[in-house]
Each structure stands twice: as structure tokens, then as C-alpha cells.
Amino acid sequence: MDKKKLYEIWLEKKSQVQISGSFPDKVMNQIYQYKQRPRWFDIQQLIDIISAHSIMKNGLIAIGALIGLVRVMYMVFMILA
């Protein structure tokens, strides 16, 4: 079947979908409830805090470098032992 004909059939079916008048209100209510729901751990807030403080960023980099160094030393020890 031709792609253009398929597209026209899809457009026709799409235009026949009925949406209730209260649909936007239901969606916005669900969004509001989602925003109000308490979160035990908010990753976005943690990212914002880390991004705002250069000391925390540098600390995380240093911790990552230290862990990487320990891992490399462990692997060298395991290979040589």
C-alpha cells in the first residue's frame, strides 16, 4: 500500500478521536498531585546542590580518582601475586 494513502487513512482515523472537555483538567490535576507527593529522595535537588558548590564537585572528583587508584593498585597486586 502507498505510504501517502496510509498517512491519509491515519489522519482520518486520528480526526475521529473524541476527547472529553474535562481531559485538560484531569491531566493538570494529576500533574499537581504528582508535584505535591512527598519524595524520600529527590535526585534533581541533589544534582542542583552539587552543581552549585565547587567544593562538592571537586570532592566527588577526588573520591572518584581515589577509588580508581585503589582499583588499579588492587588489580596490579592481584596480577603480580
Side-chain angles (χ1 to χ4, degrees):
M1 189 175 258
D2 186 24
K3 288 182 182 181
K4 187 172 185 173
K5 186 158 183 107
L6 283 174
Y7 178 71
E8 289 172 2
I9 292 170
W10 175 78
L11 277 179
E12 185 179 323
K13 287 183 180 180
K14 182 182 172 208
S15 65
Q16 295 172 358
V17 174
Q18 297 296 324
I19 298 175
S20 67
S22 63
F23 177 75
D25 294 330
K26 288 180 183 178
V27 171
M28 292 308 293
N29 187 25
Q30 288 180 354
I31 291 171
Y32 176 76
Q33 288 176 359
Y34 176 77
K35 291 274 189 182
Q36 297 302 318
R37 187 175 47 175
R39 294 181 186 95
W40 64 273
F41 184 73
D42 189 10
I43 190 71
Q44 186 61 43
Q45 186 177 6
L46 180 63
I47 291 171
D48 291 341
I49 290 170
I50 292 171
S51 297
H53 298 88
S54 62
I55 293 173
M56 292 184 81
K57 287 189 277 190
N58 292 337
L60 287 174
I61 291 169
I63 290 170
L66 183 64
I67 290 171
L69 181 63
V70 168
R71 183 177 176 192
V72 167
M73 289 173 48
Y74 177 73
M75 292 304 295
V76 168
F77 175 75
M78 292 303 289
I79 291 171
L80 295 177

